[in-house]
């Protein structure tokens, strides 16, 4: 497997052999053994070129995961032998509800008293990539994509919020509709941070005939503050962003649109059958409000 992955990355027998510190004939034999096992060519090669075949790409994709899981298995065994802490890798979006994050950090598992949570902050698109790559065990993500490789359970659903200057006429309303945003200068998060959510907002606006006068894009809600504070624009933010912006002349109101609500999910790989992940998800769901506890959990929880 290591030989196939090395050759796939180097596309040169000599360099791949040197990287693995084996002879070139041994590398060739290893490749032939794997091709014999799968029943087809993983590489298309002649005297000058080596190209990965479609079968080879499929093998390498899963092979990298297998090697990563193997390395983690060794590390887990060493952790137990050496009496070290077990590490559980969790990712969350920067705009996740603070309550959901604090709930996660409060979890203690009796079966794993030395469990250490490694919490990383990543954008949703990066979280999915790291989950599939085995770099993250569990994630709190907004609107994760549908995939047979992922298992998700919804843990929260919240409205978007509109941040505006306190002197803005919209501030007299308890909530804001999309129609009231017509002709305003909008501040939105960059589309690349979460394309499905961004597209949902723009699609709903188009269908309703709501047109912003201009759109300014930001990565962090704090970037919107000076423009909102001086009354020149209003900003779309999630709950965590609303909490950061509501100060020094800026206030927020919920966006009262049933079709534009942000769903937050607990996500893991569909093939993850680890005991830690199972126990962690159970403990997490028990800490949520009763209406969420009663949901059937589609995550891979052992009986």
């Amino acid at each position: 497997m290591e030989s196939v992955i090395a050759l796939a990355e180097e596309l040169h027998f000599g360099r791949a052999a040197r990287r693995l510190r084996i002879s070139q004939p041994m590398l060739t034999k290893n490749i032939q053994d794997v091709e014999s096992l799968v029943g087809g060519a993983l590489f298309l090669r002649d005297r000058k070129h080596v190209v990965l075949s479609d079968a080879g790409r499929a093998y390498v994709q899963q092979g990298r995961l297998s090697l990563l899981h193997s390395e983690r298995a060794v590390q887990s065994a060493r952790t137990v032998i050496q009496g070290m802490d077990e590490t559980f890798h969790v990712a969350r979006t920067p705009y996740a509800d603070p309550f959901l994050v604090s709930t996660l950090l409060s979890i203690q598992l009796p079966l794993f008293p030395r469990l250490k949570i490694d919490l990383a902050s990543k954008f949703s698109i990066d979280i999915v990539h790291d989950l599939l790559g085995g770099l993250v065990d569990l994630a709190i993500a907004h609107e994760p994509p549908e995939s047979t490789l992922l298992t998700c359970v919804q843990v929260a659903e919240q409205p978007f919020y509109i941040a505006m200057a306190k002197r803005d006429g919209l501030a007299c309303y308890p909530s804001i509709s999309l129609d009231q945003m017509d002709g305003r200068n909008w501040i939105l998060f960059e589309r690349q941070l979460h394309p499905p959510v961004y597209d949902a907002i723009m699609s709903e606006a188009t269908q309703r005939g709501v047109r912003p006068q201009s759109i300014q894009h930001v990565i962090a809600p704090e970037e919107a503050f000076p423009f909102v504070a001086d009354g020149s624009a209003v900003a779309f933010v999630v709950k965590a962003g609303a909490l950061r912006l509501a100060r020094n002349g800026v206030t927020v109101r919920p966006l009262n649109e049933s079709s534009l609500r942000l769903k937050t999910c607990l996500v893991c790989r569909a093939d993850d059958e680890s005991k830690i992940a199972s126990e962690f998800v159970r403990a997490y769901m028990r800490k949520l409000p009763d209406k969420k506890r009663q949901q059937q959990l589609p995550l891979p929880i052992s009986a």
Side-chain angles (χ1 to χ4, degrees):
M1 186 176 294
E2 289 178 335
S3 295
V4 173
I5 292 173
L7 184 57
E9 293 175 349
E10 298 292 344
L11 295 179
H12 187 280
F13 277 85
R15 289 195 298 269
R18 288 193 295 272
R19 169 173 155 182
L20 297 175
R21 298 182 180 179
I22 62 177
S23 66
Q24 190 166 324
M26 177 60 70
L27 175 71
T28 300
K29 181 180 183 304
N30 290 345
I31 299 295
Q32 291 172 343
D33 287 346
V34 176
E35 289 180 328
S36 176
L37 178 65
V38 302
L42 301 181
F43 296 92
L44 307 176
R45 46 198 184 264
D46 55 31
R47 292 183 179 180
K48 294 183 178 181
H49 302 95
V50 179
V51 179
L52 198 61
S53 68
D54 291 340
R57 276 189 286 273
Y59 182 91
V60 168
Q61 181 181 10
Q62 296 300 320
R64 288 194 177 110
L65 290 176
S66 296
L67 287 181
L68 177 63
H69 293 162
S70 176
E71 291 169 1
R72 283 207 174 173
V74 171
Q75 185 59 46
S76 294
R78 286 176 178 168
T79 295
V80 174
I81 292 171
Q82 297 171 8
M84 298 168 58
D85 294 339
E86 183 79 28
T87 302
F88 190 60
H89 301 275
V90 180
R92 55 112 174 173
T93 64
Y95 312 126
D97 187 331
F99 168 75
L100 297 177
V101 178
S102 62
T103 299
L104 184 148
L105 294 175
S106 70
I107 291 176
Q108 295 181 339
L109 300 181
L111 295 179
F112 303 94
R114 298 175 64 89
L115 182 67
K116 176 184 176 183
I117 298 177
D118 177 30
L119 182 63
S121 180
K122 300 173 179 287
F123 292 116
S124 291
I125 191 169
D126 297 321
I127 285 177
V128 171
H129 180 271
D130 287 352
L131 273 170
L132 296 177
L135 300 177
V136 170
D137 300 307
L138 192 72
I140 299 176
H142 297 316
E143 305 277 358
E146 293 185 7
S147 171
T148 56
L149 301 177
L150 297 174
T151 308
C152 309
V153 58
Q154 184 179 326
V155 295
E157 181 177 322
Q158 298 171 338
F160 283 92
Y161 289 81
I162 304 301
M164 68 201 76
K166 285 186 176 180
R167 63 181 182 277
D168 193 302
L170 294 179
C172 67
Y173 296 95
S175 63
I176 306 299
S177 70
L178 199 59
D179 296 324
Q180 291 174 290
M181 303 283 286
D182 190 39
R184 294 287 192 123
N185 295 321
W186 291 6
I187 298 179
L188 277 170
F189 53 90
E190 288 281 0
R191 183 181 181 276
Q192 64 186 15
L193 300 184
H194 210 310
V197 176
Y198 184 96
D199 292 344
I201 293 174
M202 299 309 297
S203 175
E204 183 67 19
T206 300
Q207 292 179 18
R208 299 268 286 275
V210 175
R211 294 180 176 82
Q213 182 173 328
S214 67
I215 298 180
Q216 179 180 346
H217 296 97
V218 297
I219 294 179
E222 290 82 359
E223 297 176 26
F225 183 83
F227 306 100
V228 174
D230 69 12
S232 62
V234 292
F236 285 76
V237 293
V238 297
K239 181 179 178 179
L243 293 173
R244 298 180 200 177
L245 290 182
R247 56 186 172 84
N248 299 335
V250 172
T251 187
V252 295
R253 298 290 184 272
L255 181 64
N256 188 15
E257 298 289 348
S258 59
S259 60
L260 294 177
R261 295 181 63 85
L262 191 66
K263 296 177 181 179
T264 305
C265 298
L266 206 61
V267 193
C268 72
R269 294 187 309 278
D271 63 353
D272 189 347
E273 299 178 355
S274 73
K275 185 67 174 178
I276 292 179
S278 172
E279 291 298 316
F280 197 92
V281 170
R282 284 183 181 275
Y284 189 89
M285 297 303 294
R286 283 196 295 268
K287 283 180 172 285
L288 294 182
D290 290 342
K291 64 180 180 180
K292 291 300 179 185
R293 292 184 200 169
Q294 297 169 1
Q295 289 185 355
Q296 183 177 357
L297 307 184
L299 287 167
I301 298 177
S302 56

